[in-house]
Amino acid sequence: MRNLTQYVLVVLSALSAVEAFAQTPAEPAKKMSRYEREHGGNGGVFRRDPNIWVYTTAVARDTGMPMEWASDELKGVVAAAFRREPEGAEQDCGWGGNKNACSPVMNCVLELYFDRTVQKLPWRDGSPVVDFNVDRATSVDHGGFIGIDRLTRVPSRKPNIFFSRTPFTDPETGKDLFWKSAGTPHGTGRLQTMAYDREIHGRYSYLKLDHGCGGHPFVKGQTLELSVIDKMTLKVEKVLYEIYLPAAWSSRAGEVVKQDREQEHNFYKGVWEGMPKGDKP
């Protein structure tokens, strides 16, 4: 009987709590944006967004992207995204003489989104609307860019020249145009075009560049130029389009590269420490 009384008291207490909760006005549930639902990780399985984003305030407002990544300093594009991604499924193996010591081949890519109604790019006449294999052998010729064959760099011979395609040309001269990171301290700073879609959605066009994993962070931001480049001196002759990516974005991108470099360092350190002493150089 005592146990039954205790049970009834517990049930009545629980019912009282439920009734009190029902009488308390509930706060309206916060409406999540599409981005939060897909990438926010709100208690369920979600797909993590690997991109470091920057975009205009208008894009953030219209698409539901987080306002914290919006910037009024962004120029020349309405949105940009940086990430590191594997180059296909293949890996480099055999590190330290161990055929099972493998590492993925990684690329640092930069995706750019343009409002083509106001941000007009000088596309090559006759180039396809979409190409996702720009710098590899296809049936479409996009023009060329000079490169140096290092094997021929001897005083007695001139270097061989090879070409890489670009879908942009100067409308006045017809010369090829290439994206370049302005102020790069080493090398040409050229960013290879990997893919593009001139009409990806509504009023927008899309461009994917091989950014390279070096050179981050750009403390004062990064300026990209679409330029005519002299094929012998590699100097910029003419700039037809310019993009500015703010310092706050560049700093965040730099942190991603820094973390990945630390992971690579730990990988190679593990390979080195796993090698027999006699095999170390």
Side-chain angles (χ1 to χ4, degrees):
M1 185 66 177
R2 182 181 178 184
N3 290 338
L4 179 59
T5 303
Q6 289 178 338
Y7 175 78
V8 171
L9 290 174
V10 170
V11 172
L12 290 174
S13 176
L15 290 173
S16 299
V18 171
E19 182 179 3
F21 178 80
Q23 294 175 353
T24 303
E27 294 184 4
K30 178 185 176 183
K31 184 178 180 180
M32 290 190 297
S33 67
R34 177 190 59 81
Y35 185 89
E36 291 173 322
R37 291 194 303 270
E38 295 181 0
H39 306 293
N42 296 290
V45 176
F46 70 101
R47 184 162 295 181
R48 186 180 300 279
D49 183 0
N51 294 294
I52 303 299
W53 284 99
V54 62
Y55 33 73
T56 64
T57 302
V59 166
R61 183 179 59 250
D62 296 341
T63 63
M65 295 289 284
M67 193 61 71
E68 63 183 296
W69 298 332
S71 174
D72 293 332
E73 298 179 18
L74 183 65
K75 306 297 181 185
V77 291
V78 293
F82 171 87
R83 67 176 178 273
R84 276 173 55 93
E85 66 179 21
E87 184 180 312
E90 295 181 346
Q91 295 183 321
D92 288 334
C93 297
W95 297 103
N98 179 1
K99 67 178 182 180
N100 294 318
C102 301
S103 62
V105 181
M106 301 297 294
N107 285 330
C108 287
V109 302
L110 177 62
E111 293 183 335
L112 302 171
Y113 297 84
F114 304 83
D115 181 345
R116 65 176 184 274
T117 64
V118 293
Q119 297 167 335
K120 300 182 183 297
L121 295 175
W123 297 100
R124 177 184 296 276
D125 288 341
S127 63
V129 174
V130 181
D131 195 339
F132 290 97
N133 201 25
V134 178
D135 280 315
R136 291 171 173 81
T138 67
S139 60
V140 180
D141 183 11
H142 295 300
F145 178 76
I146 189 172
I148 303 299
D149 179 0
R150 290 180 175 83
L151 297 179
T152 64
R153 280 187 175 177
V154 293
S156 60
R157 290 189 296 173
K158 292 184 179 181
N160 289 335
I161 296 174
F162 62 90
F163 292 91
S164 175
R165 284 181 284 271
T166 172
F168 303 102
T169 57
D170 182 351
E172 293 182 358
T173 65
K175 290 186 176 180
D176 298 325
L177 301 175
F178 303 93
W179 290 99
K180 184 179 185 299
S181 181
T184 305
H186 304 291
T188 64
R190 189 175 71 90
L191 281 66
Q192 188 178 42
T193 300
M194 302 175 71
Y196 69 85
D197 188 334
R198 296 170 64 170
E199 301 176 6
I200 189 170
H201 177 71
R203 60 195 291 176
Y204 300 111
S205 57
Y206 159 86
L207 180 66
K208 181 179 180 181
L209 301 175
D210 185 350
H211 183 278
C213 296
H216 269 293
F218 297 90
V219 180
K220 296 182 180 179
Q222 183 179 11
T223 299
L224 305 180
E225 297 173 343
L226 184 57
S227 312
V228 176
I229 300 176
D230 183 88
K231 292 185 177 182
M232 295 308 298
T233 65
L234 300 182
K235 292 182 178 180
V236 174
E237 295 181 349
K238 182 180 181 182
V239 177
L240 275 82
Y241 198 88
E242 190 171 273
I243 295 169
Y244 176 72
L245 303 171
W249 168 88
S250 200
S251 178
R252 288 188 288 121
E255 286 300 315
V256 170
V257 173
K258 180 180 177 181
Q259 293 172 10
D260 286 343
R261 284 178 177 171
E262 290 176 354
Q263 293 178 2
E264 290 180 352
H265 171 77
N266 292 334
F267 169 79
Y268 294 125
K269 181 180 178 182
V271 170
W272 174 263
E273 292 176 349
M275 291 176 60
K277 291 184 179 179
D279 293 341
K280 295 179 180 178

